[in-house]
């Protein structure tokens, strides 16, 4: 899925527009979406933009993605959410 990174985060990990990055979701549970204490899940993403929000605390921690794109590509993340 396409993702936009805060500028300080992008600099910290050495990411540029066009690079692939990985996100880790440590508590997703098993393959069926159940909270079974499964291994962390890793999701690849494509950096499509870098943004400066003007606050270092935001620029170093935040990544943005379209919720529909994430839900479409990774439906098990949302299986148990209501």
């Amino acid at each position: 899925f396409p993702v936009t990174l805060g500028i300080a985060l992008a600099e910290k990990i050495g990411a540029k527009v066009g690079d692939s990055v990985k996100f880790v979701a440590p508590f997703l549970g098993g393959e069926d979406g159940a909270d079974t204490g499964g291994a962390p899940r890793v999701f690849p993403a494509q950096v499509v933009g870098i943004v400066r929000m003007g606050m270092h605390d935001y620029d170093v921690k935040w990544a943005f993605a379209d919720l529909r794109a994430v839900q479409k590509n990774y439906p098990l993340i949302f299986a148990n959410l209501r």
Side-chain angles (χ1 to χ4, degrees):
F1 58 90
V3 65
T4 298
L5 302 176
I7 190 166
L9 175 59
E11 290 172 352
K12 185 175 183 176
I13 65 173
K16 298 178 187 76
V17 172
D19 287 351
S20 292
V21 294
K22 295 178 183 176
F23 287 86
V24 178
F27 304 110
L28 284 184
E31 287 295 317
D32 61 355
D35 185 11
T36 59
R41 305 275 305 274
V42 178
F43 303 98
Q46 182 82 22
V47 178
V48 296
I50 296 173
V51 63
R52 181 186 309 270
M53 293 170 273
M55 288 187 61
H56 181 75
D57 287 349
Y58 293 162
D59 289 336
V60 76
K61 296 177 184 176
W62 287 88
F64 300 91
D66 180 73
L67 180 59
R68 287 173 290 215
V70 176
Q71 288 173 322
K72 178 181 174 188
N73 289 293
Y74 304 101
L76 292 179
I77 294 174
F78 302 95
N80 289 332
L81 298 179
R82 305 221 189 280

